[in-house]
Amino acid sequence: MTETLLKPLKAGLIGAGIQASLTPAMHMREGAAQGMSYEYELIDLNQRGATPSDLPQLLRDAELKGLAGLNITHPCKQLVIPFLDELSTEARDLGAVNTVVLKGGRRCGHNTDWWGFAESFRRGLPDADLSCAVQLGAGGAGVATAYAILSLGLKSLLVYDREMDRADALATSLSVLFPDADIRAEADLSRTMKKAAGLIHATPTGMAKYPGLPLPAALLEPRHWVAEIVYFPLETELLAEARRRGCKTLDGGGMAVFQAVGAFRLFTGREPDAARMLTHFKALTA
C-alpha cells in the first residue's frame, strides 16, 4: 500500500442544524469497510455562529485542512455555487450543489440528490406507471426529485405547491430541460390526483418537527404509487396511510443513502458497496 493510501481521507458537511445527520456515519463506515482511514467532520453553521456569508472562508479552511470534498446542505446548496470553479451538467441544470470535490486547487460542484432519488425509485418501484405523477413541493428537494423522475422517463409531471409561483417556476425550468414531457403547475390537488398514477412527496410534512399528512388521505387510491423523501422518521404518516389504502410505497431512506453513495464515489474514486450502505442506514434508523 502506498503512502498516499495510508493518509486519512478527509471530508465534511456544511449546513445549518446538522448535528443529527447520518451522512458522516455512512461515509466513515463504508470507508472502514474498504480498509480506508476516513475522517468526516460536521461544519455546522449554527454551532459555529456562522452564516452562509462565511462560505468563502469555510471552503478555504477545508482546502487548507486537505479535505477531499464537502457535502453541502440547507441553506447553502445554491449559495455555494458562486465560489466554485466548475459545475457538473446536473448541478448546472438543477442550480443546486450538494457535493463539492476539492482537487488540484479546484472546486467542482456536483448534485447527487437527484441521482439518489432516481436510483432509490428504480430499485424500490421498478414497475411503477410513469404516465403521470403529482409532486407535492417545488422547493430545493422538489427540484431534485422532479429532475430524477423525468430522467427516468415520466411522461407528465403535475407540480403542486402552496406557493403557486414556485410551482410555476419549477415547471417552466424543467420544461426546457425535458421538452418531450408535459410539465405543469396545478392549483387543484383533488382534480390533479385523479389524473395521476403516482405521488412524489417533497415537502417537510411528516418529519418529527412537522407531523401530519401533506394531503387529504381520501385522495390516495390503491392504484397510486407513493414515493416519500422524508426519512426522519422512516415510517411517515403518509406512507402508513398509503399502505393502508393499498398503495405501493417507497420510503425516503433510499434517497438519503444513494446520494451518499454518489458522494463517496466522487470523494474517494472508489466504488462503494450500496447494499452494505443501505444495511448500515437501516441499522442507524432502527
Side-chain angles (χ1 to χ4, degrees):
M1 185 176 288
T2 67
E3 183 182 350
T4 300
L5 289 177
L6 288 172
K7 294 179 181 177
L9 184 139
K10 299 177 182 179
L13 171 64
I14 295 177
I18 54 176
Q19 293 304 304
S21 174
L22 301 180
T23 297
M26 284 193 285
H27 276 259
M28 290 190 292
R29 174 71 69 87
E30 180 59 21
Q34 296 205 21
M36 301 169 61
S37 175
Y38 195 143
E39 299 174 3
Y40 192 110
E41 66 172 303
L42 289 177
I43 305 167
D44 192 328
L45 301 182
N46 293 355
Q47 294 280 317
R48 297 184 178 214
T51 70
S53 65
D54 294 303
L55 275 170
Q57 185 61 50
L58 293 174
L59 290 166
R60 284 193 294 270
D61 290 345
E63 289 170 325
L64 289 171
K65 288 191 283 187
L67 270 63
L70 291 162
N71 284 127
I72 309 292
T73 191
H74 177 79
C76 301
K77 290 184 181 183
Q78 291 82 32
L79 298 174
V80 75
I81 290 175
F83 310 112
L84 305 180
D85 297 301
E86 56 185 301
L87 296 175
S88 69
T89 299
E90 294 83 5
R92 187 177 299 107
D93 286 347
L94 290 162
V97 164
N98 80 319
T99 303
V100 177
V101 174
L102 305 172
K103 187 174 183 180
R106 293 183 63 79
R107 306 164 178 172
C108 185
H110 300 262
N111 190 300
T112 66
D113 284 332
W114 80 272
W115 181 81
F117 183 80
E119 187 67 8
S120 177
F121 192 96
R122 187 182 67 79
R123 294 180 181 219
L125 292 171
D127 302 317
D129 181 346
L130 293 181
S131 59
C132 179
V134 172
Q135 176 167 294
L136 299 182
V143 176
T145 54
Y147 188 95
I149 199 69
L150 289 162
S151 297
L152 291 174
L154 183 72
K155 295 180 176 61
S156 177
L157 179 66
L158 309 175
V159 184
Y160 178 86
D161 193 284
R162 283 181 288 186
E163 297 179 30
M164 192 66 181
D165 288 349
R166 193 159 67 166
D168 279 327
L170 179 59
T172 299
S173 64
L174 289 173
S175 293
V176 174
L177 299 173
F178 299 93
D180 295 332
D182 174 30
I183 309 168
R184 287 178 280 125
E186 291 282 357
D188 187 334
L189 185 56
S190 178
R191 183 183 65 187
T192 303
M193 285 295 291
K194 288 183 172 66
K195 303 177 187 177
L199 173 72
I200 299 169
H201 176 233
T203 85
T205 304
M207 293 175 63
K209 294 179 181 178
Y210 309 102
L213 290 170
L215 79 171
L219 299 184
L220 296 170
E221 300 178 31
R223 63 187 179 83
H224 289 135
W225 51 261
V226 177
E228 174 71 273
I229 69 161
V230 172
Y231 65 90
F232 273 132
L234 205 54
E235 172 76 349
T236 63
E237 292 183 50
L238 173 61
L239 291 181
E241 185 63 38
R243 277 195 290 272
R244 276 197 292 271
R245 292 172 178 268
C247 304
K248 291 183 178 178
T249 62
L250 178 71
D251 66 48
M255 181 180 182
V257 173
F258 286 110
Q259 65 79 25
V261 167
F264 184 97
R265 186 185 294 122
L266 288 166
F267 290 162
T268 67
R270 297 187 182 191
E271 188 60 33
D273 186 325
R276 183 164 58 206
M277 291 182 73
L278 279 166
T279 299
H280 181 214
F281 177 84
K282 289 176 182 175
L284 290 170
T285 55

